Amino acid sequence: MYLKRKIDLFLTNWKESADHKPLIVKGPRQIGKTESIRHFARTNYDSVIEINFVEEPKYKMITSDGYSTDAIIKNISLLDPFVHFIPGRTLIFFDELQDFPDIATSLKFFCIDGRFDVICSGSMLGINYQKIESNSVGYKVDYEMFSLDFEEFLWAKGYDNAFVEDLLHHMNTLIPFSELQLSVCHTLFLDYCILGGMPAVVREFITRNTFEGSLDIQRQLIADYKEDIRKYASGMDQTRILNVFNQIPPQLAKENKKFQISKVASGARFRDYRGCIEWLNDAGIINICYCLHFPELPLGGNYDETKYKLYFSDSGLLTSLLDEEAQEDLRMNKNLGVYKGALYENIISEALSKSGYRLYYYKRDNSTLEEDFFVRTASDLIPLEVKASDGRSKSLRTLIDSGRYSDIHYGIKLSHSNIGYGDHIYTFPYFCAFLLKRYLKGRS
């Protein structure tokens, strides 16, 4: 069963554009990059030549005579005489690019030559992308792919674009959802919170219509991620990277979700772990949410790089790392327990990141004032509060009303409740988070 993805439309538009350049699809492992590219290739090309540099390392020799198109085609044909290079109707797919970044040098020559389409893909590209970029700058385009977002999950469950547009219409008009709509969407969103967006996990859930087997797949993905850390974290302390990875769930479960290096290991210091968190972020495994110096525009440079919260890039990774008792309660009873706040914050951070936002929060020193996230339009800074339970939004109210924060004119609260508005605060259900960027674009 193929899961419809947002990259599908991008690939179609890429192919149809005149003089399109070679494409590099970036993203962490097991999110469906190869599957989506193969699906696109089958329906758009007469000849598809797929080279996987991990499974077939012999293909690393194809640049032995240089990086020109003719030299590479010649050497591919030497290794496999059955391939067919048909000008204008052939796709060359270089997979697992991270194991042979030198092939990126050839993209310049493929781009100038123009006879064949080229797509490169691979996990862990972020950790060595500077080399890939320097070898191909100006002669390729990039696409960053993620695990399924909630919209793609809705597609997998059979809901179409009209359903999504109706959600956005309710947000734009502030018309509350009906009791049935709210119930259905909350249920779908909670399923997505538990599963995450890894295609293998979602596919198993759709096929079985049960959570059975999903935890086993998630735990195997965790094992694969840890194996990647051991394989690709060369020149760095792999143990420290794994220590950070393992500490994210317990630190998110605390009321103060700021990540504390001192809690990672006995005697741990910030300078000892410099680069470990950035490595996990570059690998696409986590998202970093930096603390703002002050909630004002612009956001770039207006943050403290030593203060941050860490979230998993896919919430299914977080749920799979919870303790056994929490796992049973979560999957059998859909009870989030003490992890409710952590999971909802993680899922909102994931939705914002997949929408293209960088993540920022604010906590004023010597004060209870703290805001979970911030997004922006051209002229406004918008505080975003994630409420795990009903209650007053004291910090949100202060940011809007105090007069100290001139770029803030209204705020958004995400909670389990329905759509609402009052005193410059817009309230939306959690499941609307993936639409926030489109909603704010419509307001500007």
Side-chain angles (χ1 to χ4, degrees), residues 218-237:
Q218 288 171 325
R219 284 179 170 168
Q220 182 57 54
L221 289 168
I222 290 290
D224 292 342
Y225 271 65
K226 289 183 176 180
E227 182 58 34
D228 276 346
I229 291 172
R230 297 184 185 97
K231 180 178 179 180
Y232 292 106
S234 57
M236 297 189 67
D237 191 326

Side-chain angles (χ1 to χ4, degrees), residues 86-97:
I86 308 168
R89 297 176 357 215
T90 297
L91 174 68
I92 303 172
F93 175 24
F94 294 122
D95 203 4
E96 302 293 359
L97 178 63

Side-chain angles (χ1 to χ4, degrees), residues 251-269:
Q251 295 213 25
L252 276 179
K254 295 178 180 178
E255 186 174 351
N256 176 17
K257 294 177 173 58
K258 174 191 169 187
F259 194 83
Q260 296 174 285
I261 291 293
S262 61
K263 304 292 186 183
V264 171
S266 177
R269 296 169 296 181

